[in-house]
Amino acid sequence: MDFRFTPEQEQLRQDIRRFLDEHVSAELRAEIATSAHTPGPLARCFLRLLGERGWLGIGWPTEYGGQGRTMLEQMIFYDELDLRDIHYGGLTITSLAMTLMKLASEEQKRTYLPRILRGELEICLGYTEPGAGSDLASLITRAERDRDDYVITGQKVFTTGAHYSSHIWLLARTDPGLPRHKGLSVFIFPLDSPGITVRPLYTMGRIRTNEVFLDHVRVPASAMIGAPNSGFHTVAVALDFERIFMGKYARLRRNFSDLVACCRKLSRNGRTLLEDPVVQDRLVGLHIAIERLRLLCFKSAWKVDRGQVPTAEASAQKVLASELEQRLADEGMKILGPCGQLESGSPHAPMEGRLVDAWLLAPMMRFGGGTNEIQRDIIAQRGLGLPRA
Amino acid sequence: MDFRFTPEQEQLRQDIRRFLDEHVSAELRAEIATSAHTPGPLARCFLRLLGERGWLGIGWPTEYGGQGRTMLEQMIFYDELDLRDIHYGGLTITSLAMTLMKLASEEQKRTYLPRILRGELEICLGYTEPGAGSDLASLITRAERDRDDYVITGQKVFTTGAHYSSHIWLLARTDPGLPRHKGLSVFIFPLDSPGITVRPLYTMGRIRTNEVFLDHVRVPASAMIGAPNSGFHTVAVALDFERIFMGKYARLRRNFSDLVACCRKLSRNGRTLLEDPVVQDRLVGLHIAIERLRLLCFKSAWKVDRGQVPTAEASAQKVLASELEQRLADEGMKILGPCGQLESGSPHAPMEGRLVDAWLLAPMMRFGGGTNEIQRDIIAQRGLGLPRA
Amino acid sequence: MDLEFNEEQAQAAEAARRFLARECPATLVRRVREGRPAHPDALWAGMGAQGWLALPFAEKYGGFDADWVTLGAVIEELGRACDPTPFIDCVVSCGGLIQDAGSEAQKQRWLPALGRGELLVSLAMLEVATDPDPEQVATRLEAAGSSYRLSGRKLFVERAAGAHLLLVTAREAASGELRLVLVPAQEPGVELVRLQSFAHPHLFEVRLDDVAIDAGQILGEGADAMPHLRRALQCTAALLAAAAAGGSQRVLEMTLAHARERQQFGRPIGSFQAVQHMLADVWTDVETARLAAYEAITELHLGRAADEKVAIARCASSETFVRSCFTAHQIFGGVGFMWEADLHLWTRKAKEIELACGGTVLWRRQLATLL
Amino acid sequence: MDLEFNEEQAQAAEAARRFLARECPATLVRRVREGRPAHPDALWAGMGAQGWLALPFAEKYGGFDADWVTLGAVIEELGRACDPTPFIDCVVSCGGLIQDAGSEAQKQRWLPALGRGELLVSLAMLEVATDPDPEQVATRLEAAGSSYRLSGRKLFVERAAGAHLLLVTAREAASGELRLVLVPAQEPGVELVRLQSFAHPHLFEVRLDDVAIDAGQILGEGADAMPHLRRALQCTAALLAAAAAGGSQRVLEMTLAHARERQQFGRPIGSFQAVQHMLADVWTDVETARLAAYEAITELHLGRAADEKVAIARCASSETFVRSCFTAHQIFGGVGFMWEADLHLWTRKAKEIELACGGTVLWRRQLATLL
């Protein structure tokens, strides 16, 4: 047993850090600080730089131009980017591209993979609809066959990234005659296709998401991933790639460390916050919880590298990370006292308002990406083999 | 709005206290301290004294010889008894007798009520079976009609009190042809009836419970409460009387106060435990939780006195009280340091081992009397009107 | 024991609910949060016309001498409606202090105007960014001939920019005692710096640089004002608890409605056991939080040493409000997370109340001293 | 990174599980808890024959110089089996101290006997009923000519009545430094008083009244023993974490089996969402507790400053073990609450481990100093 990274892995981390130190400019940092999770021009530019230097393919097989690195190495890479809030294309790289490799036609692979690898192409997920959230199989967006095309009409919501992505990965009903989850197919096509309207949805957590209206959008049959009516399978494959990245610990650890540093610096009534035994006690509780999450992340990545699918681990990661995010933000603000409520940019704001940002975003972490209730169902049923109700 | 007891109610409390001060002897206290929830000879004697003085009928209508007092007054009475761990017959008095008044025949009332009121007769509940816990309707104990009698065969478990009660209140299947919960009836009969074997079941929480085996026990048809096959209704009526007494706060409040007193007395590293800010913080959290429970108990009793049924309140009381019992015991033991683990009678045992007793009993409080999961179902479905799954 | 309103209180609550349903829709709450305008003039005027702004004041100052429970009932409704007004800060805290600590002349001068809604006063109390303790006062009031000079810095002053007067806590240099000083917000030497809070949209830092004060601006006859301040904070805390109870009830109702209506997997999501159990816990929290709030309020009403009940009410109700919002978000999912959805107005309000007037942390500490 | 045992470790774990399934059934655990007998001689002898009791010792003292993970793997299995032996106290804590702090002669004399299972040693460390801090030592070791006298009182000494030797921490009167003294439990001046714990069935108070000690009974050459004690407590804590991880895994397995089998309302109770979610949380706890335990153990193995990881492992695993028992009781209901049922053996064990050797409270404090 060994919980350490290898010297090579540690070297990789140093390489990434050095690369980021060199190339993340003060201007980019400033843009990130105010971008509310929407990559700005400098972030888009940096994405292409990541592509140029081959970093985007860190986890891709070499046959697709990737570095073919292990999941642990990918984890190191994404952690380092997360620590600086660098946009790297998210699930375009980590999930959808991998799904394309597995399920797409040769032509689709040729069309999309090289451009994704260069950081030129980003894809958003078009799953959720007003009436289909947790219960995706109830979606009603229709894709009707018309000779060599499909004509798609419907509405998607919470389509995060639709305003800066170039493509959409859309789940639609291709055969209403089949049972709910059997008549669905996945399509990939450009967001500037005629008939698509993207409207912003702003959220409490500052992050922008979107509604996407599809009005007789005509896409070639070749836009379909896999066979007709295999959409639920395609989504499941994508999710297996995605899930391991859903509950991450790097930013939580950073926020916690920043909180501790802040408690060491700020004082109250003649002593630093960190000297307050009650503050210490709370911080200890948070520290233990974050370490549990870190270990679970290690376990998941390690299992992937051994060819196993960390189903329960990934769901548990998502649950722990999202609930801990909320707890850290809420308890952290209490520890900091009245100034804990101040946002980035305000006088007296501690930690550049980062806990406030996390607090406002935390509800979405809990219900998004499959609610924590569904994740617990997954752990119990798929992980522990308990019977469905 | 007024959260105070009236002067008359306060006077009642004083009267009860004075009565208990006068009549609870040191010998009785010693017996209680070692009796592990089974009333000993002095406790049985004291029960009859309570009967003699008319206390047992505190909540009974005057027409049945009771004092016809309000639920708030009953609450005062039972709280004072609970604070001294006095045995008062539990649900024989508070639930089953009330159910008899409501559903029993005149003859049954004449047979049982006066003796209950005198403290001569105690009844235990014969509901649960090895295969029927939360799902009571699946019970298989059979009561077969044989001319003027019923002949009962089956097995009950967790029959708490069967070793000192005189009677059993037993739910059995009288018509296997009817749907599961429609073919059941309640019987009341002496535990010394031929064919009954009571075997002890000792528990982790020290409290003794029992298995009751019924082998062709012959009881007269007049032992049935209400109409044949109305048993589920009878049980529901009894439960409505019982539920308000399921989650009580008096002992919790006492244990908490004792814990605080103990923290004021014991010290560690040159200061009292109560001077430790982390200890204070934990105690504050417990204090708030106990106050919430107290208010809920007030609310339930007040609603009953207004003729309302506190369905959600009573279930919530049970949930809060049982989970708080476990939390108080567990956190309290941590606060006290290594001596927290010591049991009554041991050198260095704080609080006469009361937190340890509570800790060992707490699991039963959570699953017994309807699991907390079922209580939460009740709050949601019957209290908040949410639909059943 | 009587756990419901008497007729008068019930009528006040009912009238308040009707009034607020009409005059304080979520759209207004949202606009005021966004500063368009920062102060809801029409609503405030309407509340004045309803007599609410004079509820706690004696009749001779144009008030209604309302009992505390009636005041609590109105404030509970304000919490339900997520009101965007400075009611508690201005009427309960500042008005209470003027009535409690002011001289007859000061009461005559300020309370009727306050009660009519013509005078906005903000309490300027806290000084340390990390410390909710109102007794940490470094602001100095220094005698200068027959008048005074005031210097210091105050933080987390609600709506200072819109206030006519700031009620400033200061130490008199000579005695070291606490004084309460009414300072016009536009006075020379007063500088306002906006603080950005996610919870309270209109918070300010107030810098006081050698501000000229005359004796008439100092509340009362020069006795130590600390007991008055403590009493005002106690009343404020009890009534903040009522607001939190009202807010959390409303959030529970919204969530229940959603859980009943929203269908997934062919049934209402409220039929899932996980959802039911979350809601059962919220209900229990809300029910007990409301009881705790009114128990504290009735203790005030009876003039009893209410610190313990107030502390419990303040902590229990704020915890409840925040937690009920967390659960609401979980059950609403994306629909409740949208900026355009109203839920987050309550979520922010929950934190606004938790942090108001020194915050619940203060009262947890208070409770520790009472153990 | 490698998160599983190597072949040797896996074999050790596998062998231990087989051995304990045979030699350490719940009936034995129960009998020893009830004091019939207080010490499981046959099991202990068997463990000696397996070589476990000599695992951590150097070869020249009859040991196997086992790596820490192997030792952890065996102890995890002991936790699973709810073992009623003094393995951790005797072998890990006391054996570790003798090996670490003892003179060559002392090691020669005691370690082989200990490793063969012929010598039982108990650590006598704590002195204050409320205080888990091992540095609070008032027991005095006073020079008297060429020998010493030892006086003091020790609490929470495990199985003192069955032990051959007590390893007593004491302050040398002259230097004020810590000394580790081996005292025969039957020595004149040593009095044992039984303490009744619900968690550990064989705890004692040890009164030392002017006990004669000669220099050979003091471990090492008279240097301050505090660093040795800290090191021993660290190792003990890491291995207690492995035991707790093992125990909680076993409890989860028992609970899962029950939830799958037990039918109510016509279906397995494990199909209810509330039950599933409880079990999902327990699984997550157990999984991460086990990882934390082994991370701490590998840090020890690497000889790194392991305090932080040890503290996390110790706290996380004990919390997990207790919580998993609480959940197990809730899901088992009455069946699991019976004295005759085995579940409560693990429930008590969970608290035994939580409180062992100063308890987790100590390590939470330790973690606070490392923030």
Side-chain angles (χ1 to χ4, degrees):
Chain A
M1 268 189 174
D2 192 348
F3 286 73
R4 294 169 303 169
F5 293 104
T6 61
E8 294 72 30
Q9 288 164 340
E10 292 293 358
Q11 184 57 50
L12 173 67
R13 189 186 294 281
Q14 293 314 321
D15 292 347
I16 296 163
R17 285 194 180 166
R18 209 171 37 245
F19 172 80
L20 295 173
D21 286 343
E22 272 171 35
H23 293 93
V24 177
S25 62
E27 292 75 21
L28 175 54
R29 285 204 304 274
E31 183 191 275
I32 290 168
T34 57
S35 68
H37 309 276
T38 288
L42 296 176
R44 315 287 302 271
C45 207
F46 194 80
L47 180 66
R48 282 189 295 274
L49 178 65
L50 287 172
E52 237 168 64
R53 299 301 176 95
W55 283 120
L56 292 182
I58 184 162
W60 293 20
T62 47
E63 56 178 303
Y64 293 107
Q67 300 185 18
R69 289 194 185 258
T70 64
M71 188 55 77
L72 279 165
E73 289 165 328
Q74 294 175 55
M75 195 175 78
I76 290 169
F77 175 71
Y78 294 119
D79 282 353
E80 291 301 320
L81 265 61
D82 280 345
L83 288 175
R84 308 189 195 211
D85 296 310
I86 303 287
H87 175 74
Y88 56 82
L91 45 74
T92 299
I93 295 294
T94 55
S95 160
L96 302 182
M98 309 304 277
T99 311
L100 286 168
M101 292 172 209
K102 192 161 171 181
L103 301 178
S105 67
E106 280 313 310
E107 189 206 325
Q108 287 169 332
K109 292 183 196 172
R110 267 197 315 275
T111 308
Y112 294 112
L113 293 177
R115 291 178 61 201
I116 292 174
L117 200 57
R118 289 197 300 268
E120 294 168 10
L121 191 154
E122 288 190 69
I123 312 170
C124 64
L125 284 187
Y127 293 164
T128 306
E129 298 185 4
S134 290
D135 180 17
L136 207 51
S138 64
L139 65 80
I140 56 175
T141 291
R142 281 282 281 123
E144 286 182 272
R145 183 83 194 215
D146 181 28
R147 275 166 301 166
D148 287 349
D149 295 336
Y150 280 90
V151 177
I152 305 177
T153 295
Q155 182 194 349
K156 297 288 174 181
V157 282
F158 312 129
T159 318
T160 304
H163 58 301
Y164 61 79
S165 297
S166 54
H167 289 68
I168 187 165
W169 174 276
L170 183 122
L171 185 66
R173 190 164 301 282
T174 35
D175 188 343
L178 291 173
R180 309 181 333 127
H181 60 285
K182 296 213 164 143
L184 305 171
S185 305
V186 166
F187 298 87
I188 181 171
F189 52 93
L191 272 161
D192 59 7
S193 306
I196 297 184
T197 312
V198 176
R199 281 202 206 136
L201 288 175
Y202 294 101
T203 70
M204 154 185 170
R206 296 223 178 86
I207 193 170
R208 172 184 163 173
T209 179
N210 305 279
E211 295 178 289
V212 176
F213 297 88
L214 302 115
D215 181 13
H216 294 89
V217 177
R218 181 167 291 270
V219 304
S222 64
M224 185 186 283
I225 306 292
N229 302 324
S230 70
F232 227 64
H233 172 68
T234 305
V235 167
V237 169
L239 197 63
D240 271 349
F241 286 115
E242 184 185 343
R243 54 191 9 260
I244 187 171
F245 294 104
M246 283 200 301
K248 298 198 284 185
Y249 80 95
R251 282 197 187 114
L252 265 165
R253 159 67 53 210
R254 177 195 62 187
N255 287 354
F256 177 74
S257 301
D258 288 359
L259 174 61
V260 174
C262 200
C263 288
R264 188 169 284 123
K265 213 176 57 196
L266 296 181
S267 59
R268 172 159 66 210
N269 216 350
R271 65 177 177 189
T272 67
L273 301 186
L274 197 58
E275 285 166 331
D276 178 343
V278 177
V279 168
Q280 287 176 10
D281 189 59
R282 298 280 158 85
L283 290 173
V284 162
L286 289 166
H287 185 39
I288 294 172
I290 294 171
E291 285 289 286
R292 282 176 181 264
L293 172 63
R294 175 181 60 79
L295 288 163
L296 203 57
C297 293
F298 283 14
K299 178 82 181 293
S300 287
W302 175 79
K303 275 186 89 165
V304 170
D305 286 340
R306 290 160 50 87
Q308 298 169 338
V309 181
T311 305
E313 284 86 354
S315 286
Q317 260 175 267
K318 196 268 176 178
V319 170
L320 282 190
S322 58
E323 295 183 356
L324 195 45
E325 183 122 48
Q326 190 162 61
R327 178 177 154 200
L328 172 63
D330 202 57
E331 289 192 17
M333 289 198 299
K334 284 192 180 116
I335 286 171
L336 293 172
C339 65
Q341 69 187 300
L342 298 177
E343 302 179 273
S344 171
S346 173
H348 310 292
M351 296 173 63
E352 296 161 16
R354 218 175 258 156
L355 284 186
V356 171
D357 287 343
W359 196 91
L360 290 169
L361 201 59
M364 192 183 87
M365 310 305 282
R366 284 178 58 197
F367 68 73
T371 67
N372 284 5
E373 287 66 45
I374 285 182
Q375 303 297 341
R376 287 187 166 95
D377 290 348
I378 291 173
I379 296 169
Q381 292 167 19
R382 292 171 57 189
L384 304 176
L386 291 168
R388 301 188 60 136
Chain B
M1 269 190 171
D2 192 350
F3 286 73
R4 294 169 303 170
F5 293 104
T6 62
E8 294 72 30
Q9 289 165 340
E10 291 293 358
Q11 184 57 50
L12 172 67
R13 188 186 296 277
Q14 293 313 320
D15 293 347
I16 297 162
R17 285 193 181 168
R18 209 169 39 244
F19 172 81
L20 296 174
D21 286 344
E22 272 169 35
H23 294 92
V24 177
S25 63
E27 292 76 17
L28 174 54
R29 284 204 304 275
E31 184 190 276
I32 290 169
T34 56
S35 69
H37 309 276
T38 289
L42 296 176
R44 315 285 304 265
C45 208
F46 194 81
L47 180 66
R48 283 188 293 276
L49 178 66
L50 286 172
E52 236 169 66
R53 299 300 175 97
W55 282 121
L56 292 183
I58 185 163
W60 294 20
T62 49
E63 57 179 302
Y64 292 108
Q67 299 185 18
R69 289 194 185 257
T70 63
M71 188 55 77
L72 280 164
E73 288 166 330
Q74 295 176 55
M75 194 174 79
I76 289 169
F77 175 71
Y78 294 119
D79 282 353
E80 290 301 320
L81 267 63
D82 280 345
L83 289 175
R84 305 187 197 212
D85 296 311
I86 303 288
H87 176 71
Y88 56 84
L91 46 73
T92 299
I93 296 291
T94 54
S95 160
L96 301 181
M98 308 305 277
T99 309
L100 286 169
M101 292 172 209
K102 194 162 172 181
L103 300 178
S105 67
E106 281 312 309
E107 189 206 328
Q108 287 169 331
K109 291 183 197 174
R110 270 198 311 278
T111 309
Y112 295 112
L113 293 177
R115 292 176 62 201
I116 292 174
L117 199 57
R118 290 198 297 271
E120 294 168 11
L121 191 153
E122 288 191 69
I123 313 170
C124 64
L125 284 187
Y127 292 164
T128 304
E129 299 185 2
S134 291
D135 180 17
L136 207 50
S138 63
L139 64 78
I140 56 175
T141 291
R142 281 283 281 128
E144 285 183 272
R145 184 82 193 214
D146 181 27
R147 276 168 298 168
D148 288 348
D149 296 336
Y150 280 89
V151 178
I152 305 177
T153 296
Q155 182 194 350
K156 297 288 175 183
V157 283
F158 313 130
T159 319
T160 305
H163 57 301
Y164 60 81
S165 297
S166 54
H167 288 68
I168 187 166
W169 175 274
L170 181 123
L171 186 65
R173 189 165 302 283
T174 35
D175 188 342
L178 291 173
R180 314 184 323 132
H181 60 287
K182 296 212 163 145
L184 306 171
S185 304
V186 167
F187 298 87
I188 180 171
F189 51 91
L191 271 160
D192 58 8
S193 306
I196 297 184
T197 312
V198 175
R199 283 204 204 133
L201 288 174
Y202 294 100
T203 68
M204 152 184 170
R206 299 223 176 81
I207 194 170
R208 172 186 162 171
T209 181
N210 304 279
E211 293 179 291
V212 177
F213 297 89
L214 302 115
D215 181 13
H216 293 87
V217 179
R218 181 167 292 270
V219 304
S222 64
M224 185 187 286
I225 307 292
N229 301 325
S230 68
F232 227 64
H233 171 67
T234 306
V235 168
V237 169
L239 197 64
D240 271 349
F241 287 115
E242 183 187 344
R243 54 190 11 260
I244 187 172
F245 294 103
M246 283 199 302
K248 298 200 285 187
Y249 80 95
R251 282 196 187 117
L252 264 166
R253 158 69 52 208
R254 177 195 63 186
N255 287 355
F256 177 73
S257 302
D258 288 358
L259 174 61
V260 174
C262 200
C263 289
R264 188 170 283 120
K265 214 176 56 198
L266 297 180
S267 59
R268 172 158 66 210
N269 214 349
R271 64 176 179 190
T272 68
L273 300 187
L274 197 58
E275 286 167 329
D276 178 341
V278 177
V279 169
Q280 288 177 10
D281 189 59
R282 297 279 157 86
L283 291 172
V284 162
L286 290 165
H287 185 38
I288 294 172
I290 293 170
E291 285 290 286
R292 283 177 182 263
L293 171 63
R294 177 182 58 80
L295 289 163
L296 203 58
C297 293
F298 283 14
K299 177 81 182 291
S300 287
W302 174 79
K303 274 185 91 166
V304 170
D305 286 339
R306 292 160 49 87
Q308 298 169 339
V309 181
T311 306
E313 284 86 354
S315 287
Q317 259 174 268
K318 195 267 175 179
V319 170
L320 282 189
S322 58
E323 295 182 356
L324 195 46
E325 184 122 48
Q326 191 162 59
R327 179 179 152 197
L328 172 63
D330 202 57
E331 289 192 15
M333 289 198 301
K334 284 194 181 118
I335 286 170
L336 294 172
C339 65
Q341 69 188 300
L342 297 176
E343 302 181 271
S344 173
S346 173
H348 310 292
M351 296 174 62
E352 296 159 17
R354 217 175 260 154
L355 284 187
V356 171
D357 287 344
W359 196 90
L360 290 169
L361 201 59
M364 193 183 86
M365 310 306 281
R366 283 178 59 195
F367 67 73
T371 66
N372 284 5
E373 287 66 45
I374 284 181
Q375 303 297 342
R376 287 189 165 94
D377 291 348
I378 291 172
I379 297 169
Q381 291 167 20
R382 292 171 58 188
L384 304 176
L386 290 170
R388 302 186 59 136
Chain C
M1 194 165 295
D2 186 6
L3 303 187
E4 64 180 1
F5 294 142
N6 65 25
E7 208 170 316
E8 189 191 327
Q9 292 154 354
Q11 276 170 7
E14 175 64 30
R17 190 175 299 197
R18 269 200 316 271
F19 173 81
L20 290 166
R22 204 172 56 235
E23 304 296 330
C24 183
T27 46
L28 176 67
V29 176
R30 182 182 293 274
R31 279 208 317 275
V32 176
R33 278 215 166 256
E34 292 169 356
R36 307 175 290 125
H39 183 71
D41 294 309
L43 173 60
W44 192 250
M47 287 163 66
Q50 297 282 316
W52 296 357
L53 307 182
L55 274 178
F57 307 140
E59 283 177 33
K60 63 173 173 169
Y61 308 122
F64 294 89
D65 235 342
D67 71 287
W68 286 95
V69 175
T70 301
L71 190 58
V74 169
I75 288 175
E76 184 184 352
E77 293 303 324
L78 287 169
R80 280 185 66 85
C82 201
D83 85 302
T85 77
F87 186 89
I88 293 180
D89 183 38
C90 178
V91 177
V92 176
S93 306
C94 294
L97 277 168
I98 293 171
Q99 172 155 272
D100 208 29
S103 67
E104 189 56 34
Q106 287 165 332
K107 290 191 251 197
Q108 293 286 0
R109 178 166 179 203
W110 302 119
L111 289 180
L114 208 162
R116 286 191 305 269
E118 293 159 9
L119 180 71
L120 292 172
V121 192
S122 294
L123 184 60
M125 179 174 79
L126 301 183
E127 302 196 352
V128 184
T130 54
D131 198 341
D133 183 353
E135 309 205 5
Q136 299 290 333
V137 179
T139 295
R140 280 167 67 88
L141 179 69
E142 204 138 3
S146 64
S147 64
Y148 296 84
R149 316 294 298 184
L150 182 68
S151 288
R153 186 188 72 169
K154 294 290 177 178
L155 294 176
F156 310 109
V157 183
E158 299 185 25
R159 295 180 178 80
H164 304 102
L165 292 176
L166 305 173
L167 182 42
V168 177
T169 58
R171 295 233 169 258
E172 192 189 38
S175 64
E177 288 181 346
L178 193 79
R179 297 286 178 268
L180 298 164
V181 189
L182 283 165
V183 181
Q186 311 304 327
E187 197 83 348
V190 178
E191 189 194 349
L192 306 184
V193 179
R194 177 178 280 279
L195 304 177
Q196 268 113 42
S197 159
F198 79 101
H200 196 305
H202 309 295
L203 288 186
F204 291 83
E205 174 177 340
V206 175
R207 295 179 188 159
L208 302 156
D209 182 15
D210 204 32
V211 181
I213 302 291
D214 68 49
Q217 288 172 261
I218 303 171
L219 285 191
E221 313 290 328
D224 187 16
M226 193 56 88
H228 299 299
L229 182 64
R230 288 205 192 103
R231 164 84 183 158
L233 293 180
Q234 192 187 57
C235 298
T236 302
L239 292 164
L240 281 166
S248 56
Q249 274 176 82
R250 176 71 174 277
V251 167
L252 173 58
E253 288 164 21
M254 295 192 294
T255 314
L256 277 170
H258 180 77
R260 288 194 198 100
E261 281 156 30
R262 170 78 173 170
Q263 303 269 334
Q264 288 285 273
F265 304 102
R267 53 181 173 128
I269 59 171
S271 68
F272 286 92
Q273 200 177 26
V275 173
Q276 294 196 348
H277 286 196
M278 284 193 272
L279 285 166
D281 287 345
V282 171
W283 178 83
T284 306
D285 273 1
V286 170
E287 185 69 19
T288 54
R290 182 172 186 275
L291 291 166
Y294 280 104
E295 185 169 38
I297 289 169
T298 59
E299 292 280 303
L300 285 184
H301 184 72
L302 295 166
R304 310 216 285 196
D307 266 347
E308 186 190 346
K309 301 295 183 200
V310 168
I312 289 163
R314 181 82 173 93
C315 297
S317 65
S318 265
E319 257 175 40
T320 295
F321 195 4
V322 172
R323 268 209 303 251
S324 65
C325 291
F326 286 167
T327 302
H329 280 293
Q330 187 64 7
I331 292 175
F332 268 96
V335 179
F337 197 62
M338 293 302 111
W339 184 259
E340 296 305 320
D342 293 332
L343 179 56
H344 73 98
L345 301 172
W346 274 264
T347 307
R348 290 168 196 271
K349 183 79 173 181
K351 275 298 203 188
E352 177 187 325
I353 291 178
E354 179 190 303
L355 293 161
C357 211
T360 56
V361 172
L362 199 64
W363 290 95
R364 260 185 97 92
R365 266 192 237 157
Q366 177 71 9
L367 211 44
T369 68
L370 295 170
L371 280 173
Chain D
M1 193 165 297
D2 185 5
L3 303 187
E4 64 179 3
F5 294 142
N6 65 27
E7 207 169 319
E8 187 191 328
Q9 294 154 354
Q11 275 170 8
E14 176 64 30
R17 188 174 301 197
R18 268 200 317 270
F19 173 82
L20 290 166
R22 202 172 58 236
E23 304 296 332
C24 182
T27 47
L28 175 67
V29 177
R30 181 181 295 275
R31 281 208 317 276
V32 175
R33 280 218 162 254
E34 292 167 358
R36 308 175 288 128
H39 182 71
D41 294 310
L43 174 60
W44 192 250
M47 285 164 66
Q50 296 284 317
W52 296 358
L53 307 181
L55 273 178
F57 307 141
E59 284 175 34
K60 61 175 173 168
Y61 309 121
F64 294 89
D65 233 344
D67 71 288
W68 286 95
V69 175
T70 301
L71 190 58
V74 169
I75 289 176
E76 183 183 354
E77 292 303 323
L78 288 168
R80 282 186 65 88
C82 202
D83 84 302
T85 76
F87 187 88
I88 292 180
D89 184 38
C90 178
V91 177
V92 177
S93 306
C94 295
L97 276 167
I98 294 169
Q99 172 153 274
D100 209 27
S103 67
E104 190 55 35
Q106 288 165 331
K107 289 189 255 197
Q108 295 284 2
R109 176 165 178 204
W110 302 118
L111 290 179
L114 209 160
R116 286 192 304 270
E118 293 159 8
L119 179 71
L120 290 173
V121 192
S122 293
L123 184 59
M125 175 173 81
L126 300 183
E127 302 196 353
V128 184
T130 54
D131 199 341
D133 182 357
E135 309 206 5
Q136 299 290 332
V137 179
T139 295
R140 277 167 68 88
L141 180 69
E142 205 139 3
S146 66
S147 65
Y148 295 85
R149 316 296 299 184
L150 182 68
S151 287
R153 185 187 73 170
K154 294 290 177 180
L155 294 176
F156 311 109
V157 183
E158 299 184 27
R159 296 180 177 80
H164 305 102
L165 291 175
L166 304 173
L167 180 44
V168 178
T169 58
R171 293 226 171 265
E172 192 190 37
S175 64
E177 286 181 348
L178 193 81
R179 296 286 178 270
L180 297 164
V181 188
L182 283 165
V183 181
Q186 312 303 328
E187 196 83 346
V190 177
E191 187 192 352
L192 304 185
V193 179
R194 177 177 278 280
L195 305 177
Q196 268 113 39
S197 159
F198 79 101
H200 196 303
H202 309 295
L203 287 187
F204 291 84
E205 174 177 339
V206 175
R207 296 181 189 158
L208 303 156
D209 181 16
D210 204 32
V211 181
I213 301 292
D214 68 47
Q217 288 172 261
I218 303 171
L219 285 190
E221 313 291 331
D224 186 16
M226 193 55 88
H228 298 300
L229 182 63
R230 290 207 191 103
R231 164 85 183 160
L233 293 179
Q234 192 187 57
C235 297
T236 302
L239 292 164
L240 282 165
S248 57
Q249 273 176 84
R250 175 71 173 274
V251 167
L252 172 59
E253 287 164 22
M254 296 191 293
T255 314
L256 277 170
H258 181 77
R260 286 194 197 101
E261 279 156 31
R262 171 76 173 168
Q263 301 269 333
Q264 289 285 272
F265 305 101
R267 53 182 172 126
I269 59 171
S271 69
F272 286 92
Q273 200 178 24
V275 173
Q276 294 198 347
H277 286 195
M278 284 192 274
L279 285 167
D281 287 344
V282 171
W283 178 83
T284 306
D285 273 1
V286 170
E287 185 68 21
T288 54
R290 181 172 187 273
L291 290 167
Y294 281 103
E295 185 170 39
I297 290 168
T298 57
E299 293 281 301
L300 286 182
H301 184 73
L302 295 166
R304 308 219 285 196
D307 267 345
E308 185 190 345
K309 302 295 182 201
V310 168
I312 288 164
R314 181 82 172 92
C315 298
S317 65
S318 265
E319 257 174 43
T320 294
F321 195 4
V322 172
R323 266 210 306 253
S324 65
C325 291
F326 285 167
T327 301
H329 280 292
Q330 186 63 7
I331 292 174
F332 268 96
V335 180
F337 198 63
M338 293 302 109
W339 185 260
E340 297 305 321
D342 293 332
L343 178 56
H344 74 100
L345 301 173
W346 274 264
T347 307
R348 290 168 195 272
K349 184 79 173 182
K351 276 298 204 189
E352 177 187 325
I353 291 178
E354 180 190 302
L355 293 161
C357 210
T360 57
V361 172
L362 200 65
W363 289 96
R364 259 187 98 91
R365 267 193 235 156
Q366 177 71 11
L367 210 43
T369 68
L370 295 171
L371 280 173

